[in-house]
Every structure is written in structure tokens, then in C-alpha cells.
Amino acid sequence: MLKIYNSLAREKQDFVPINPGEARMYVCGMTVYDYCHLGHARVLVVFDIVQRWLRASGLRVTYVRNITDIDDKIIKRALENKQSIAELSEHFITFMNEDAAALGIEPPDHEPRATAYVPQMLDLIGQLEKNGLAYQAKDGDVNFAVRKFAGYGKLSGKSLDDLRAGERVEVDSAKGDPLDFVLWKHARENEPFWPSPWGNGRPGWHIECSAMSSDLLGKHFDIHGGGQDLQFPHHENEIAQSEGAHGCQFVNYWMHNGFVRVAEEKMSKSLGNFFTIREILKKYDAEVVRFFILRAHYRSPLNYSDSHLDDARQALSRLYTALKSVDAEASPVDWEEPHALRFTQAMNDDFNTPEACAVLFDLAAEVNRSRSPALAGQLRALAGLLGLLTRDPQVFLQATPSSETEASIAHVEARIAERVAAKKNKDYAAADRIRGELLAAGIVLEDSAAGTTWRRQ
RNA sequence: GGCGCGAUAGCAAAGCGGUUAUGCACCGGAUUGCAAAUCCGUUCAGCCCGGUUCGACUCCGGGUCGCGCCUCCA
């Protein structure tokens, strides 16, 4: 039985789908005005795993991950870059897709863009107005009246009065309550706008997710995910909008992943301490990055540093090494096998990927001992559920993230041939010299009865 | 100020009221021309103070420290 930590209940709960055999999941994706950083990579990987495990558990999954392609930052950046908003967002959507593909992220079933859902947003705002939860302020903005929605704060555990006490935002006098949030912003100069019953304008940040999720998944669905920083106010506001408009429960299970940190601080744009995915991929294999993320539980903080990635690379190499010398059977998971049972137990416990990885290492040790093609196949199959060990071991072990040329690989092969000849002549000094030279270049040689192989250090 | 999360061995990171987590690093042995890889073995834990218990890293209470949200943020 799968258990999920539900942010709404603040405890692990049995996952019971609304419709038996089916899971509908919505995840807040990217705002496309810049490159994705490692924090974004974590969301992508974490919910890719959720999606994969739900499917592996036999559920029919509909996975929606949205793209925010209209908001303040995009408008600002487009102006700075002197390009259109469409150009800017297209540009970064392309980069995002490249990064996601590199990380082994399976494409979601739907990837809706906010700009394509303006009519649905307007319908929703109209419904909220009809329900007495939205009002148009003097400045033309349409706001949500948080005091009118009884459950406001239930996700984040905040009470409106506490929020008011801690209010640090400049009060917008046009709002009925400082905590009211905007559903529809009136048109301003140099900004794109859409016509609406409330005049020309553009959507507020939160309304898009309410509109897209109900359109693609229905008014009530199973799982909603995103980074921990979205819990408040974004997800709280989504609940207010969706439940306020539809009059029914919005989402059963809320999932929030922890932050990536740098030197014990949250990695974020505003702190300027972020590393983009493509920056990291210049130094580390994408699968190493994926493994690095999966080695920590999704709700724990994850500290980023080169030495941690070095460590992850060494660890992943151990798994690939186990597959290198055994001809793994290409078989599906044998679910009755003991490692698979442990793996399943781990994943069913709120997606405990660190424990699932530990099972992979135990299994790898078993493969090394037994040289069993069936067990090697099992290792490959289980790891595959996490999107790991999907490549040829030799390709992984010899891969280099930077732009190494074929020529240098040819050079390695040539030097190995020289060394084999030297060894044949019992000229061990020459053999060791060649090995030392290659080692200095980060190439490790491994002699075995079957001959000499090499890998990157 | 309000709300929440965390503190595990040299580093990273899980489960668990009593029995080896796991990975990296380290040490000893096997193996090897020597290595590497692999195998076998050893060493190294649970912030502090109380409480519950036959027994607590694990449960409860109180500290201390760290982090996050309350403002755009994955």
C-alpha cells in the first residue's frame, strides 16, 4: 500500500485514488524567463519518480506539468532583452526541455501553457465573482477576498490574523484586505493584455493553475505537487480559487519537495547562489545529477557541492561496475524476488528513494558475488524504475561530461595496446609508466583475465 | 513576532523501541607482476538535559543550534 506524506494533513496517509486504478496529478512547473537551476531539476526528478512509481504500481496516470509563460518577470525580462514575450518563453522552453531530457525526465501527459488558458481563467474568475469571493477594486484589478473563503490557510497552517500581524508587504490600498490576492491585473503600458468583462488585463499568478488543472484533470483530483516554497501563498491561493469556484474539494494529496541548498542556504534566484542545470552538466554526467537527487529523500534539504556530486559519481560507478562484467538479462522486474520486495516497500513508504538506492547497492554486491545474469537483469530493471542504469556500463564508465574528442579515446586505446605489448615482454616498468600517464589524465586501467579495460576516474 | 522542519559515524544519507542500513573515504586480508575492480573482515554514530520502558538513536517533555515560510521563488 502506497503511503504519501500529505502536506494538507501533515502526515503520511494511504494513497486511495478518487477513481480506482487511476491517478491524476498536477505539478507546478517552470516560469520560463531564465535557465533552469538545480532546484528546478529537483522538482522535475522528484515528480518524475512519483509519476513512474504510480505507473509501476499499475495505476493509469495523467500527469500535468504546467508552463507559466506570462508573468511580471517574463514581461520585465523580455523588455530588457528587447524581444517579444513569445520569443523569450519559446527560447527557455526549448532549454528546459533539453535539460529535462538530459536528466531522464519522462514528458508529462500534458504541458499546458498559461497563455493558452485565458478563457478558462476568465470563466473561473466570473464564477468566483458570482460566488461573492471576487471583487473589482478601484484600480481595475480583480481580487480574491480571502476573508470570504472559510478554509483559507488550511494548507500552510497559517491563520489570517497571524499573517496580518506579520505583514511586511506594503499595503495596496485598493485591496479590501491586504492579504487579498489578484486574479486579474488591469492592463498597464508596455504590457500584453487580453480583453475581459473587467476590462483589458492579464491574469494573476495563481489563477492559471486552478484553470488548467480543472480543465485537464477535473475539479477534484488526486495529487498536486511543487516545491516547498509554493505551499504559501501559491498553493493556498489555488485552493481558495478552485474550491471557492467549484464548491468541492480540490486536491486530496499535496506533495512538496525540499529545497536544494548551497552552503546551508536555500538555492534561489534572489540570493544569486544558484547553479543552472546546464552549467552542472558540463562537469557531471546527467545521470549522476539524477542519482544525487534521488539519494536524498524528496522532502529533505539537499546540499549542493562539487564534492557531493563527486561522491555520487563514485557511488553510481559502483552500480555500473557490477553490470560491466555480467551479461545482464534484459528482463522485466521480478516482483517476487527479495530485493524487489524491499524496493517496493521503500518506494511505497512515501517514495523513499534513498532506501531504494540502498537496495540497489545490496543487489549489486550480490551480482558481484554470484555473477548471475538474472540478478544483474533484476538490478537493471529495478534501477530502471528510478531512471537509473539505463545505459551501457562501458559507455557510462568511459563517458566524460566535457567535450572530449574521439581522438583522445583513440589515444587511450593506442596506449593500452602499447602497454599490453610491454606486459607481454615482462617490461613492467614501461607498463606501469603508461598506466601512470593515463591515470594522470584521469583514465584508470583495469587488467583482468579477459584483457585490459579502462574507465574515467 | 506567527507557523513549520531538522539535528545520525570523517563526509553524505535511511530505516528501526532490543538484532549489519547503504554509498564515499579509511584500515586489515584475499586476489593481482604491481595496481584497479571485486570479495571477506574491522574500525567509526545518533546535539544537550530530563522522563517513559526490562531496554531509546528510535516514544514524550524541556533546552540549544541550524534551516524554511509569512514577499517573487521549485
Side-chain angles (χ1 to χ4, degrees), chain A residues 182-202:
Chain A
V182 66
L183 298 165
W184 187 254
K185 296 187 178 197
H186 69 272
R188 291 161 176 82
E189 233 178 295
N190 284 327
E191 288 187 3
F193 61 84
W194 288 259
S196 89
W198 304 275
N200 292 338
R202 62 184 171 91

Side-chain angles (χ1 to χ4, degrees), chain A residues 42-339:
Chain A
R42 192 174 194 191
V43 187
L44 291 171
V45 170
V46 162
F47 289 101
D48 182 55
I49 288 296
V50 170
Q51 172 268 127
R52 284 174 190 247
W53 185 246
L54 292 171
R55 288 186 212 275
S57 304
L59 293 161
R60 197 167 67 256
V61 176
T62 308
Y63 175 26
V64 178
R65 193 185 65 215
N66 77 295
I67 292 173
T68 300
D69 60 352
I70 179 72
D71 93 320
D72 292 359
K73 290 182 176 181
I74 293 175
I75 292 168
K76 182 163 172 268
R77 183 64 58 89
L79 278 173
E80 285 167 9
N81 292 4
K82 294 190 168 62
Q83 63 186 149
S84 74
I85 285 159
E87 262 179 319
L88 177 79
S89 53
E90 279 307 326
H91 189 67
F92 284 109
I93 286 169
T94 303
F95 287 137
M96 176 186 75
N97 288 333
E98 286 173 10
D99 292 342
L103 290 168
I105 308 298
E106 293 179 346
D109 299 290
H110 302 278
E111 212 172 359
R113 302 181 185 190
T115 50
Y117 281 80
V118 173
Q120 288 90 333
M121 294 186 223
L122 294 176
D123 284 349
L124 208 52
I125 296 168
Q127 187 62 49
L128 286 170
E129 191 177 47
K130 202 183 295 172
N131 294 357
L133 294 166
Y135 62 92
Q136 185 158 32
K138 288 189 294 268
D139 61 3
D141 285 358
V142 182
N143 296 321
F144 187 99
V146 291
R147 294 264 166 197
K148 299 268 176 64
F149 180 72
Y152 196 81
K154 65 182 174 183
L155 176 65
S156 54
K158 298 180 189 307
S159 86
L160 280 166
D161 296 318
D162 288 344
L163 284 167
R164 170 161 284 181
E167 183 71 28
R168 284 189 289 165
V169 193
E170 275 191 45
V171 176
D172 179 347
S173 57
K175 286 180 179 173
D177 186 293
L179 291 164
D180 289 351
F181 58 90
V182 66
L183 298 165
W184 187 254
K185 296 187 178 197
H186 69 272
R188 291 161 176 82
E189 233 178 295
N190 284 327
E191 288 187 3
F193 61 84
W194 288 259
S196 89
W198 304 275
N200 292 338
R202 62 184 171 91
W205 175 32
H206 315 290
I207 195 68
E208 60 172 274
C209 288
S210 288
M212 294 189 282
S213 63
S214 66
D215 193 73
L216 292 163
L217 297 174
K219 294 169 181 174
H220 179 205
F221 56 94
D222 298 291
I223 300 172
H224 190 128
Q228 219 154 49
D229 44 3
L230 297 184
Q231 192 170 354
F232 189 90
H234 184 54
H235 290 161
E236 196 69 62
N237 291 352
E238 273 188 59
I239 291 175
Q241 292 166 340
S242 294
E243 299 192 351
H246 303 313
C248 66
Q249 168 108 8
F250 176 39
V251 167
N252 282 359
Y253 302 88
W254 284 88
M255 294 182 66
H256 294 97
N257 65 276
F259 298 129
V260 175
R261 297 203 259 170
V262 178
E264 307 296 328
E265 266 188 331
K266 177 184 172 184
M267 178 180 288
S268 72
K269 295 265 170 82
S270 43
L271 285 168
N273 60 349
F274 61 90
F275 294 84
T276 64
I277 296 174
R278 48 194 54 218
E279 202 173 349
I280 294 167
L281 292 185
K282 282 180 192 158
K283 289 166 74 177
Y284 294 95
D285 188 282
E287 193 173 340
V288 169
V289 177
R290 186 179 176 96
F291 176 74
F292 167 71
I293 290 169
L294 293 177
R295 245 192 352 160
H297 185 83
Y298 76 88
R299 283 188 284 116
S300 303
L302 177 63
N303 264 307
Y304 169 81
S305 77
D306 277 6
S307 67
H308 292 160
L309 279 173
D310 288 337
D311 189 84
R313 186 167 53 85
Q314 287 301 113
L316 188 58
S317 295
R318 178 171 165 80
L319 294 180
Y320 265 117
T321 301
L323 291 179
K324 191 174 83 162
S325 51
V326 182
D327 219 3
E329 280 175 11
S331 48
V333 173
D334 172 3
W335 293 102
E336 301 305 314
E337 189 271 333
H339 292 92

Side-chain angles (χ1 to χ4, degrees), chain A residues 278-435:
Chain A
R278 48 194 54 218
E279 202 173 349
I280 294 167
L281 292 185
K282 282 180 192 158
K283 289 166 74 177
Y284 294 95
D285 188 282
E287 193 173 340
V288 169
V289 177
R290 186 179 176 96
F291 176 74
F292 167 71
I293 290 169
L294 293 177
R295 245 192 352 160
H297 185 83
Y298 76 88
R299 283 188 284 116
S300 303
L302 177 63
N303 264 307
Y304 169 81
S305 77
D306 277 6
S307 67
H308 292 160
L309 279 173
D310 288 337
D311 189 84
R313 186 167 53 85
Q314 287 301 113
L316 188 58
S317 295
R318 178 171 165 80
L319 294 180
Y320 265 117
T321 301
L323 291 179
K324 191 174 83 162
S325 51
V326 182
D327 219 3
E329 280 175 11
S331 48
V333 173
D334 172 3
W335 293 102
E336 301 305 314
E337 189 271 333
H339 292 92
L341 292 173
R342 280 177 61 204
F343 186 96
T344 298
Q345 207 169 8
M347 291 302 286
N348 277 344
D349 182 15
D350 193 30
F351 309 96
N352 191 338
T353 54
E355 181 65 27
C357 288
V359 173
L360 298 183
F361 284 100
D362 287 344
L363 184 50
E366 204 58 45
V367 169
N368 286 330
R369 278 190 290 265
S370 68
R371 315 262 105 192
S372 153
L375 277 182
Q378 179 78 337
L379 172 58
R380 175 151 255 170
L382 285 176
L385 296 172
L386 301 179
L388 299 172
L389 303 186
T390 55
R391 285 180 287 167
D392 180 82
Q394 177 151 311
V395 169
F396 174 84
L397 292 167
Q398 297 184 347
T400 176
S402 60
S403 51
E404 193 88 9
T405 60
E406 285 299 315
S408 75
I409 291 172
H411 173 71
V412 171
E413 306 283 3
R415 297 295 279 163
I416 288 175
E418 284 175 43
R419 180 168 166 275
V420 167
K423 276 178 54 172
K424 217 172 207 169
N425 297 332
K426 304 260 189 254
D427 184 358
Y428 292 119
D432 290 350
R433 195 175 342 105
I434 292 169
R435 186 170 61 197

